[in-house]
Amino acid sequence: MDSNRLLAPPAPIHNTSHHQDVLTTESEDLTPSSSTTEHTPLSLQVPSSPTSKSLGGDTLRSRADSYNSTAETSRSRANSSHSKADTARSRGNSDLTTLRSRFEGDELTTEEALRPDKLTEQDFEVDNNPFAFTPGQLNKTLNPKSLAAYRALGGIYGLERGLKTDLLAGLSVDETTIPEKIGFEEATASARSKPLDARPIIAQEAIVTGREIEDQFHDRKRVFSDNRLPAKKAISIWRLFWNAYNDRVLLILTAAAVISLALGIYEAVGAEREEGEGQALDWVEGLAIMVAIVIVVLVTGLNDYRREKQFSALNARKDDRQVKAIRSGKSVMISVFDVMVGDILHLESGDSIPADGILVGGHGVRCDESSATGESDAMKKTGGSEVWQRMVEGTATSKLDPFIISGSKVLEGVGTYLVTSVGVNSSFGKIMMGLQAENEETPLQAKLGRMANWIGALGTSAAGVLFFILLFRFLAGLPNNTDTPTQRGSVFLDILIVAITIIVVAVPEGLPVAVTLALSFATKRMYKENNLVRHLRACETMGNATTICSDKTGTLTQNKMTVVAGLLGTHTNFAREIDMDDEKKTILTFAAAFDRLSPEVRSLLLQSVAINSTAFEGEEDGRATYIGSKTETALLTMAKDFLGMGPVAEERAGVEVVQLFPFDSDRKCMGVVIRLANGSYRLLVKGAAEIMLDLATQELPDITARSLEPVELTESARLRASANIDDFATQSLRTIAMLFKDFQQWPPVGVQTLEDDKSMARFEDVCQDMTFLGIVGIQDPLRDGVAYAVKRCQDAGIVVRMVTGDNLTTASAIAKQCGIKTEKGLVMEGPKFRQLSDQEMDEILPDLQVLARSSPDDKRILVSRLKHLGETVAVTGDGTNDGPALKLADVGFSMGIAGTEVAKEASAIILMDDNFSSIVKAVMWGRSVNDAVSKFLQFQITVNITAVILAFVSAVSSEEMHSVLSAVQLLWVNLIMDTFAALALATDPPTEKILDRKPTPKRAALITTNMWKMIIGQAIYQLVVTFVLYFAGYGILGYDTRCLPETLARTCANVTPLEGKLARCLDPLVCTDDSNLELNTMVFNTFVWMQIFNEFNNRRLDNKLNIFEGIQRNYFFIGINCIMVGGQVMIIYVGGKAFQIVRIDATQWAVCVLCALPCLLWAVVLRCIPDVYAKAVIDFACKVWLAGARPVMKVLRFVFRPVGKAFTALSRNVFAPTKRFSKRTVSKISRKKSAEDETLGKGKRPAADVEAADTSEMSTMASPKTPVRQQTSAEFPLQPPPITLTTAN
């Protein structure tokens, strides 16, 4: 993994006050001694490497020595103050007024402070625990925060001892088991009485081998667990099968099939048969329907199981991230899942805290704990050693807060903290155990779910009408019916089965499933192309994005920065490549320019680069480099090459840092205050050049002079510096200026200080009248292919805007190189943009292409106004302050390398390579998802219309009241339509040509004019072919018309009724055997082959003719079609009685295929019809249809309302209580099983809300699927929703 973002702050920055130790021996005479306070140096420890492999070098050594001395001073101070704390406690029990701690719980004893709660008693019992503390004891410091528990555990040093770790070096990478056990009393006493030599310090020079340690941290994981939450209990495949079967229509069809089977068996076994009559086989149809239902359920369940596995893998990747830890004295990057209790983790602004802990040390650390505690204020954190010191001295108050809570965000500051609770034992883990949410439903899924309900309602209406027509015909013929009661019951059951099967076919439950399949396929492929999708809705939304607001650094550029030019003072220019023809100014080489510096100026410049920096030394890919902000690493490289800078840790070792001002995206700069050897203080600031120049009023008169006494910055000098800034900007260079100012004391007299720390000054009050030191121009080359990617976006109708913090000239130059800036494009600075009114913004936004010198708030305003104008906005961001804009955008992209954790959590997609080209890939896959759904929708509606009308008309026209497509045949068609087609059409990968069309508007209809043209046209062709075969096939194919079922009874006296709709004449002189059965088989075979060929037609949604484009890359499509073809051939040859068909010969096969094949040519004809004409015809047809449908719907609503009310009452009073009883029973069984597992030691249940956990276990797995709600007869709408027609490009 690229470590470009591994900013290692100067941490820990340890600020404690030295108090005079007062040693007493008589507790009765103790009185607080007056103490003198003085500020000690802030010790800077800079970690050496962020990688998890072997990191050589001794860069930490000198710094560690400096830190150790400070730590030892504090530790000895803590030891010497122990007797004083005890005395204060004893005096607290008397009536004397004394100076003592005043924090909540101060009066509690150790036993009271660590007393377990009823629900967490198991957390206090650990077998064979080699550590001093149990997870339960560590958890007592939080929920709520408890200084009393912190004191009972011995403070930061007791925790260090009891957890077998080291506050400086962290855990040892070679740790496996803990050989020596440490007791509670021994650990807590070590904070007061043990000599420092007894601390388990890991040698700083310990070699980090980088090899895999077998059974690493075995005891630590066993006692405290790791930082993983137990995966949500996966739904078993049997439960998925049950969910697939638990459909109201399938249940009714099953009941009908069971009754049909029972009646058939009775006819075959129990009914009397005349002499010579063959065995009755009516039971075959019932059995075949049940087998078909089983196959449908199995295929659907397996499909759901595969989808669940894919989304589980996606969720696991989504939750994983890298954090910075110190192990064996080296800074390493580890997975958040590998964080252990006892680890020392780095904190910096923008981090999302992965585990509970205690702050070891730092500077200005403030956290947003609203997600964990509900407290909206920024919580200031105090180092654990300082809190312990205050406790020892008796001056601790409840305002002290060393507690770091998992799930909270670091708003500002830098530091390190000791991990005390991970995984299910952490605060955040306990919350998440009760809140394991399911994946959200995407807008497209919701929209398709509503459409599926509407289509299902129409199909149900048709089935209801068919049922009542056939029922009335059946009842009307009963007086003249001579069949036995069993036979009459079988006929009625056939009518019911056909009606129910039509409902099964008509209800398009495959629509939402198609979205899920397309999303699961797309997200998996997007991950391989460096797009980690965090929210599924972003995948489909990105396909319709109309504008992209992109950062510059790292997204459009390579983020590989190098100082290539600069200005020292206001007179000395230097550059890597000197233009000898430039006679206006003298430009020196780097070496010549820096050789002219006096030692004092050189030292000042070195301080500005090395001390005022958060970058540090490390290794990447086996070579030494600087890790951190690329701007800072470029400056450090310059200092190393031309200023003679040694190891950064050594440069920082002898410097006393008094106050840090971390980089702020609003003020565009950062600063540090150091104490000089003469006792004065120096403020060093660096930041955006033009802003820094405005803050400067003085300059150094001569960079070769030893004196640092500044002089006034004249107007001419200011103009020269400004001209250099503009010159660098026109060369697409990032310009950074450096300032300084000396003070006699800190904080200076008359400046405002921080409210909660009077020793810290406000930046705005001290950063005035600064002395200008110089400017550097940093080159950041464009990424390869970014100009082409921008061009492809523009071709796709997406407006690309650049939002950057660079100055206007630099931003404009880079935008031109990328192709973002055009001749008529508008470039504006953030401060001017935010002053515009809403109306003025709306007027300039269509032309705005570059927003320079922008703040995160400017980006948020830009996104807000673009959305107000109806744009679908995608935005990139990497900083903590980018969170609001990322959240507000339709699709937020965060940077996987340079992005903070806050930005990543606010985003919908993480760019794992920080590359703009990956955004283009996201657009392509987003459009592919939308296209896949449209393809499937077009295919399924065509099948729905054809199958329902064919079954309806053939059943109504038949004398036997039987559909040409039997129930089992319709179930096979339903399987093709809902499952196989979804798999085939939802897995087409996108091509570059998908970017050749404009985005689809937000309010566009799901079905375009071109889609309606293909749906209606193909339905007409299929109905014409099947009706011709069904009604005229006997004559066309040479069968004797006397063999028609309707005429057999009149033309032949020797007729034997066969099963279902078939009749067979036994007189060979009249007709051939099974002629009508062969014809029905051919109708069924032709119908299925038309669906197979039409599936190829639906691979294109536009009017282009090449339907085979890219088919060789879609193995799913090829495989699924092979399965469908093979299945159909097998059904024709072996289906027999189950499918009510017979084998057909080669000539008949040729007729079927040749009747189906022209649907490919018919699609060519349809695509040649202009969409404008098609829209006019369809509009007219819709108006006619709606005019006739409204009264019909009213009648149906009137007729079915009583039935609907009865069914609703039945559901409420019978089905609902039964369902609740079943759920409760299953829940009780699950809880009982879980309790037995815990008793057997298979796992420890976290102390989360029990009821919420039970609900979590019973909830459906995170499957983004919209179940199709079946409408009751009382829910028929007054009219179908209006159909919006749009023209496909």
Side-chain angles (χ1 to χ4, degrees), residues 689-749:
E690 62 273 18
I691 296 178
M692 297 295 97
L693 187 60
D694 291 340
L695 296 175
T697 59
Q698 302 177 93
E699 66 167 325
L700 293 176
D702 186 1
I703 62 173
T704 63
R706 301 181 65 88
S707 172
L708 298 180
E709 192 66 29
V711 297
E712 181 183 358
L713 182 65
T714 63
E715 188 61 28
S716 60
R718 185 181 298 275
L719 290 175
R720 282 196 302 273
S722 180
N724 274 274
I725 294 174
D726 292 338
D727 185 35
F728 294 157
T730 56
Q731 302 174 50
S732 303
L733 303 183
R734 166 174 286 189
T735 54
I736 302 295
M738 290 167 282
L739 312 176
F740 79 98
K741 186 177 182 179
D742 290 340
F743 298 88
Q744 292 303 312
Q745 67 179 58
W746 194 266
V749 178

Side-chain angles (χ1 to χ4, degrees), residues 693-1011:
L693 187 60
D694 291 340
L695 296 175
T697 59
Q698 302 177 93
E699 66 167 325
L700 293 176
D702 186 1
I703 62 173
T704 63
R706 301 181 65 88
S707 172
L708 298 180
E709 192 66 29
V711 297
E712 181 183 358
L713 182 65
T714 63
E715 188 61 28
S716 60
R718 185 181 298 275
L719 290 175
R720 282 196 302 273
S722 180
N724 274 274
I725 294 174
D726 292 338
D727 185 35
F728 294 157
T730 56
Q731 302 174 50
S732 303
L733 303 183
R734 166 174 286 189
T735 54
I736 302 295
M738 290 167 282
L739 312 176
F740 79 98
K741 186 177 182 179
D742 290 340
F743 298 88
Q744 292 303 312
Q745 67 179 58
W746 194 266
V749 178
V751 303
Q752 293 187 23
T753 56
L754 300 183
E755 193 172 317
D756 50 3
D757 192 345
K758 299 302 180 182
S759 66
M760 303 295 175
R762 290 181 69 250
F763 180 80
E764 289 75 12
D765 291 346
V766 295
C767 191
Q768 299 176 4
D769 300 325
M770 302 292 289
T771 302
F772 181 79
L773 181 57
I775 302 171
V776 293
I778 302 176
Q779 185 182 59
D780 186 10
L782 286 181
R783 285 185 178 273
D784 295 335
V786 71
Y788 175 75
V790 170
K791 179 65 167 56
R792 294 302 290 140
C793 283
Q794 293 168 342
D795 293 340
I798 303 172
V799 178
V800 182
R801 295 177 170 88
M802 188 171 75
V803 184
T804 178
D806 283 340
N807 65 41
L808 190 126
T809 308
T810 302
S812 181
I814 293 178
K816 287 181 180 178
Q817 294 180 30
C818 296
I820 295 175
K821 173 70 169 63
T822 61
E823 293 182 2
K824 297 182 180 180
L826 180 64
V827 180
M828 182 174 287
E829 289 187 328
K832 294 181 180 179
F833 175 77
R834 72 179 75 115
Q835 298 299 325
L836 299 177
S837 64
D838 290 347
Q839 183 177 356
E840 291 172 331
M841 284 186 186
D842 294 345
E843 290 175 355
I844 63 103
L845 280 179
D847 298 323
L848 181 64
Q849 294 176 342
V850 179
L851 189 61
R853 250 335 144 220
S854 63
S855 68
D857 197 49
D858 296 329
K859 185 184 292 186
R860 181 189 59 79
I861 295 172
L862 174 63
V863 172
S864 176
R865 296 315 303 172
L866 286 171
K867 290 187 67 176
H868 176 74
L869 295 176
E871 302 276 3
T872 301
V873 185
V875 65
T876 67
D878 57 5
T880 301
N881 292 338
D882 288 327
L886 291 169
K887 205 75 173 176
L888 181 62
D890 294 290
V891 181
F893 287 89
S894 63
M895 304 296 110
I897 299 172
T900 63
E901 292 306 320
V902 172
K904 292 177 184 177
E905 290 192 10
S907 66
I909 299 176
I910 298 175
L911 292 178
M912 297 163 62
D913 60 351
D914 292 7
N915 195 338
F916 184 85
S917 297
S918 297
I919 300 178
V920 181
K921 294 291 186 182
V923 174
M924 293 173 60
W925 277 106
R927 293 191 175 188
S928 176
V929 169
N930 293 326
D931 285 357
V933 173
S934 296
K935 293 172 185 177
F936 179 73
L937 183 62
Q938 179 174 303
F939 174 79
Q940 185 164 53
I941 293 180
T942 304
V943 182
N944 275 4
I945 293 174
T946 310
V948 171
I949 293 178
L950 179 60
F952 186 97
V953 173
S954 61
V956 171
S957 63
S958 172
E959 290 289 338
E960 289 80 17
M961 297 182 292
H962 293 144
S963 167
V964 67
L965 299 177
S966 69
V968 181
Q969 291 172 5
L970 286 172
L971 287 174
W972 167 243
V973 171
N974 185 68
L975 187 64
I976 292 175
M977 181 176 64
D978 282 340
T979 303
F980 291 154
L983 282 169
L985 295 173
T987 52
D988 258 338
T991 63
E992 286 286 334
K993 293 182 179 180
I994 206 170
L995 298 174
D996 292 338
R997 66 172 192 259
K998 304 301 179 185
T1000 304
K1002 286 183 178 180
R1003 300 186 180 276
L1006 281 174
I1007 307 177
T1008 65
T1009 298
N1010 189 59
M1011 291 173 63

Side-chain angles (χ1 to χ4, degrees), residues 1199-1216:
V1199 171
F1200 287 105
R1201 178 179 291 175
V1203 180
K1205 288 183 177 180
F1207 188 82
T1208 302
L1210 184 66
S1211 298
R1212 185 185 303 113
N1213 298 322
V1214 179
F1215 296 152

Side-chain angles (χ1 to χ4, degrees), residues 1053-1092:
N1054 189 12
V1055 172
T1056 300
L1058 292 181
E1059 295 76 17
K1061 62 178 177 292
L1062 305 176
R1064 183 179 181 186
C1065 179
L1066 300 181
D1067 188 351
L1069 299 177
V1070 178
C1071 60
T1072 59
D1073 294 343
D1074 298 330
S1075 57
N1076 57 333
L1077 186 56
E1078 288 179 357
L1079 185 62
N1080 289 334
T1081 300
M1082 292 179 66
V1083 172
F1084 165 65
N1085 195 27
T1086 303
F1087 178 80
V1088 171
W1089 276 98
M1090 283 192 290
Q1091 311 317 316
I1092 293 173

Side-chain angles (χ1 to χ4, degrees), residues 13 311 330 770 830 884 916 1039 1064 1240-1241 1258:
I13 299 174
F311 280 108
K330 307 291 184 180
M770 302 292 289
F916 184 85
Y1039 294 111
R1064 183 179 181 186
L1240 295 174
M1258 288 302 301

